[in-house]
Structures are given as structure tokens and as C-alpha cells.
Amino acid sequence: MSTVAVVGGTGPQGKGLAYRFARGGHDVILGSRDGGRAAQAADELAARLGGRGGTVTGAVNAEATTKAQVALLAVPFTGHDVLVASLAAELADKVVISCVNPIGFDRHGPHGLELGGTSAAETAQALLPDSAVVGAFHHLSAVSLNGDADLLDHEDVLVCGDDQEAKQTVMELAATITGKPGIDAGALRLARQLEPLTAVLISINKRYKVRSGLAIHGVSGS
Ligand SMILES: NC(=O)c1ccc[n+]([C@@H]2O[C@H](COP(=O)([O-])OP(=O)(O)OC[C@H]3O[C@@H](n4cnc5c(N)ncnc54)[C@H](OP(=O)(O)O)[C@@H]3O)[C@@H](O)[C@H]2O)c1
């Protein structure tokens, strides 16, 4: 079991993933730009867990990432680069997970933002040359993560990255959410396809008034 820092852990996605990681036995530190906000979110989560699983504490982002072996970036794409760059020293030699979806909305609905041949995860990797960045958890909705289901076992977590060991760590972490390891989806550059795919899921959700997810058929053990 490792200690996982969640940068932006006061938001619905970070909090939802933190809840699942902690239920799975990992210690979690919710990070925030504001220590008080982090502590409040951690108290809420700890109360919900009622002593089950790992510990949940709160700290400012830099302190949270210093204390953890694995860090999850769960912040909006706006402001992402400045924040990530500011944490380069704290995140060095660590596994850094990005679930960041650069998505825009206009009169035609949701769409992936045009990033000029890169992705949020690759941008993070460029800003964090001494970290192993892995893309994962893009397609799990915060509502499901914060819901009451024991496991989101009807969904798969697609994991992309260039460091095989880091990817393996994240695939195992995914089992705390779906009950099975995440699926190795390939190199980090495939985040360019995985991140905007979320716009398709949001579009389906709006059209059918559902909360759609992603499941891959035909992979042994998935
Ligand atoms: N919501 C979902 O269902 C979902 C699903 C899949 C992936 N994602 C991705 O997960 C990430 C987080 O989503 P979310 O809905 O939880 O986002 P959010 O609520 O908008 O933001 C999460 C946290 O990020 C911090 N933050 C906000 N603006 C910031 C800035 N400019 N610089 C630094 N920190 C900032 C805030 O924490 P503090 O103010 O406490 O610092 C906030 O609570 C996004 O990239 C999103 O694309 C979301």
C-alpha cells in the first residue's frame, strides 16, 4: 500500500478517486491551494470512511506531494501548467497520474480542446522531466466515484504511459475502483486520444440522460 497525494483533492473528481483509493487501503493526502480547505475535505472523507481503509488527511499541494510516493493531478486544465511546474521538485522521482481532460463546450456540445499535437498528460511530463507521468481515470465520472456502489466493476480504466513500472503501479491502483487491474492502453502519447474521448461520453450522457462509462471486451482478465 502506498501513500497517494491528490493535487486538487477538494474537487469532485479528486475527492471521488481519493475515496476509492482510501477504501482500497491506501493512505491518501488531499491537496489544495488552501490548507484549511484540504483539511475540511479530508475530515468529510474520513467521516464517510468511518475507520475503513487507509487514512485521509489534508495539506497544501506542495506538502501533500512531498509526503506521497504517488500523486494524482485532479485539477482543471486551466491553470494546470503553472501549478504542475510549481510542484516539479516535490514530484521528482515519483509516479504522477493525470486524469485531466482538456474539454471545451460550445453550442454543439462538449469537444476535446485542440492542443497542437500534445495532451494534458504529455504537457505534465514535459514540465516534470524527473517524474514518470501516467494517464488514467479520464473516463470515470465523479458522480459514480462518489456514489455508493462498492465497485465500479462494469467499467475499465485505460492506462497510458512510457514507464512500464509506473504504469503497472497505476494499473494496480485502478483495482481499488473497478475490482480489476487497469488496462495497459499504450504509450503516453495516446492520452491525445483518451482525454478528448471523455467529450464523447459527456455527449452520450446528455443525449440519453445516463452516466456512461467505458468497458473493453476481449482483454483477458478485464
Ligand atoms: N468531474 C468529473 O466527472 C471528471 C471526470 C474525469 C476527469 N476529470 C478531470 O479531473 C480534473 C478535476 O475535475 P474536477 O471536476 O474535480 O475539477 P474542479 O472541481 O474544477 O477542480 C478541482 C480542484 O482543483 C483546484 N483548482 C481549481 N482551479 C485551479 C487552478 N487554476 N490552479 C490550481 N488548482 C486549481 C481546486 O482546489 P483548491 O481550490 O482547493 O486548490 C478545485 O477544487 C479535471 O481536469 C477534469 O477534466 C473530471
Side-chain angles (χ1 to χ4, degrees), residues 6 13 22 25 34 42 74 83 100-101 149 213 215 221:
V6 181
Q13 187 71 358
D34 180 289
L83 179 72
V100 175
N101 288 319

PDB file of all heavy atoms in Angstrom, residues 6 13 22 25 34 42 74 83 100-101 149 213 215 221:
ATOM      1  N   VAL A   6      -3.388  13.705  -3.712  1.00  0.00           N
ATOM      2  CA  VAL A   6      -4.317  14.127  -4.763  1.00  0.00           C
ATOM      3  C   VAL A   6      -4.253  15.649  -4.872  1.00  0.00           C
ATOM      4  O   VAL A   6      -4.733  16.364  -3.996  1.00  0.00           O
ATOM      5  CB  VAL A   6      -5.755  13.669  -4.457  1.00  0.00           C
ATOM      6  CG1 VAL A   6      -6.691  14.097  -5.589  1.00  0.00           C
ATOM      7  CG2 VAL A   6      -5.816  12.148  -4.288  1.00  0.00           C
ATOM      8  N   GLN A  13     -13.746  15.228  -8.631  1.00  0.00           N
ATOM      9  CA  GLN A  13     -13.010  14.092  -9.211  1.00  0.00           C
ATOM     10  C   GLN A  13     -11.905  13.620  -8.265  1.00  0.00           C
ATOM     11  O   GLN A  13     -11.758  12.425  -8.019  1.00  0.00           O
ATOM     12  CB  GLN A  13     -12.428  14.495 -10.576  1.00  0.00           C
ATOM     13  CG  GLN A  13     -11.784  13.350 -11.334  1.00  0.00           C
ATOM     14  CD  GLN A  13     -12.791  12.338 -11.865  1.00  0.00           C
ATOM     15  OE1 GLN A  13     -13.991  12.466 -11.629  1.00  0.00           O
ATOM     16  NE2 GLN A  13     -12.314  11.328 -12.547  1.00  0.00           N
ATOM     17  N   ALA A  22      -8.638   5.218  -0.774  1.00  0.00           N
ATOM     18  CA  ALA A  22      -8.591   5.011   0.681  1.00  0.00           C
ATOM     19  C   ALA A  22      -9.389   3.772   1.069  1.00  0.00           C
ATOM     20  O   ALA A  22      -8.949   2.970   1.906  1.00  0.00           O
ATOM     21  CB  ALA A  22      -9.114   6.250   1.402  1.00  0.00           C
ATOM     22  N   GLY A  25      -7.454   0.759   0.877  1.00  0.00           N
ATOM     23  CA  GLY A  25      -6.382   0.554   1.851  1.00  0.00           C
ATOM     24  C   GLY A  25      -5.207   1.510   1.740  1.00  0.00           C
ATOM     25  O   GLY A  25      -4.281   1.450   2.545  1.00  0.00           O
ATOM     26  N   ASP A  34      -5.200  25.678  -0.569  1.00  0.00           N
ATOM     27  CA  ASP A  34      -5.549  26.236   0.736  1.00  0.00           C
ATOM     28  C   ASP A  34      -5.588  25.097   1.764  1.00  0.00           C
ATOM     29  O   ASP A  34      -6.398  24.162   1.617  1.00  0.00           O
ATOM     30  CB  ASP A  34      -6.928  26.910   0.612  1.00  0.00           C
ATOM     31  CG  ASP A  34      -7.389  27.526   1.911  1.00  0.00           C
ATOM     32  OD1 ASP A  34      -7.732  26.760   2.854  1.00  0.00           O
ATOM     33  OD2 ASP A  34      -7.419  28.755   1.995  1.00  0.00           O
ATOM     34  N   ALA A  42     -10.735  16.542   3.851  1.00  0.00           N
ATOM     35  CA  ALA A  42     -10.221  15.292   4.428  1.00  0.00           C
ATOM     36  C   ALA A  42     -11.104  14.827   5.586  1.00  0.00           C
ATOM     37  O   ALA A  42     -11.392  13.625   5.721  1.00  0.00           O
ATOM     38  CB  ALA A  42      -8.785  15.491   4.905  1.00  0.00           C
ATOM     39  N   ALA A  74      -5.554  16.247 -10.280  1.00  0.00           N
ATOM     40  CA  ALA A  74      -7.008  16.308 -10.477  1.00  0.00           C
ATOM     41  C   ALA A  74      -7.450  17.764 -10.453  1.00  0.00           C
ATOM     42  O   ALA A  74      -8.312  18.168  -9.667  1.00  0.00           O
ATOM     43  CB  ALA A  74      -7.731  15.490  -9.408  1.00  0.00           C
ATOM     44  N   LEU A  83       0.528  25.316 -12.084  1.00  0.00           N
ATOM     45  CA  LEU A  83       0.531  24.530 -10.847  1.00  0.00           C
ATOM     46  C   LEU A  83       1.512  23.362 -10.944  1.00  0.00           C
ATOM     47  O   LEU A  83       2.316  23.133 -10.038  1.00  0.00           O
ATOM     48  CB  LEU A  83      -0.881  23.997 -10.554  1.00  0.00           C
ATOM     49  CG  LEU A  83      -0.959  23.137  -9.298  1.00  0.00           C
ATOM     50  CD1 LEU A  83      -0.809  23.995  -8.058  1.00  0.00           C
ATOM     51  CD2 LEU A  83      -2.262  22.361  -9.241  1.00  0.00           C
ATOM     52  N   VAL A 100      -6.568  14.537 -16.203  1.00  0.00           N
ATOM     53  CA  VAL A 100      -7.030  15.849 -16.681  1.00  0.00           C
ATOM     54  C   VAL A 100      -7.574  15.733 -18.111  1.00  0.00           C
ATOM     55  O   VAL A 100      -6.898  15.217 -19.001  1.00  0.00           O
ATOM     56  CB  VAL A 100      -5.870  16.869 -16.629  1.00  0.00           C
ATOM     57  CG1 VAL A 100      -6.288  18.200 -17.225  1.00  0.00           C
ATOM     58  CG2 VAL A 100      -5.380  17.033 -15.194  1.00  0.00           C
ATOM     59  N   ASN A 101      -8.768  16.214 -18.303  1.00  0.00           N
ATOM     60  CA  ASN A 101      -9.418  16.195 -19.618  1.00  0.00           C
ATOM     61  C   ASN A 101      -9.552  17.621 -20.142  1.00  0.00           C
ATOM     62  O   ASN A 101     -10.392  18.374 -19.641  1.00  0.00           O
ATOM     63  CB  ASN A 101     -10.823  15.581 -19.515  1.00  0.00           C
ATOM     64  CG  ASN A 101     -10.790  14.088 -19.283  1.00  0.00           C
ATOM     65  OD1 ASN A 101      -9.982  13.377 -19.870  1.00  0.00           O
ATOM     66  ND2 ASN A 101     -11.676  13.597 -18.425  1.00  0.00           N
ATOM     67  N   ALA A 149     -21.915   2.664  -4.871  1.00  0.00           N
ATOM     68  CA  ALA A 149     -21.551   1.334  -5.382  1.00  0.00           C
ATOM     69  C   ALA A 149     -20.220   0.885  -4.788  1.00  0.00           C
ATOM     70  O   ALA A 149     -19.279   1.676  -4.713  1.00  0.00           O
ATOM     71  CB  ALA A 149     -21.454   1.374  -6.908  1.00  0.00           C
ATOM     72  N   GLY A 213     -20.027   4.824 -19.213  1.00  0.00           N
ATOM     73  CA  GLY A 213     -18.633   4.541 -18.862  1.00  0.00           C
ATOM     74  C   GLY A 213     -17.994   3.757 -19.983  1.00  0.00           C
ATOM     75  O   GLY A 213     -18.598   3.558 -21.034  1.00  0.00           O
ATOM     76  N   ALA A 215     -15.993   0.200 -21.135  1.00  0.00           N
ATOM     77  CA  ALA A 215     -15.587  -1.180 -20.831  1.00  0.00           C
ATOM     78  C   ALA A 215     -14.978  -1.775 -22.094  1.00  0.00           C
ATOM     79  O   ALA A 215     -15.524  -1.599 -23.183  1.00  0.00           O
ATOM     80  CB  ALA A 215     -16.780  -2.002 -20.376  1.00  0.00           C
ATOM     81  N   GLY A 221      -8.982 -11.172 -18.448  1.00  0.00           N
ATOM     82  CA  GLY A 221      -8.906 -10.639 -17.091  1.00  0.00           C
ATOM     83  C   GLY A 221      -9.536  -9.271 -16.951  1.00  0.00           C
ATOM     84  O   GLY A 221      -9.601  -8.726 -15.870  1.00  0.00           O
TER      85      GLY A 221
END
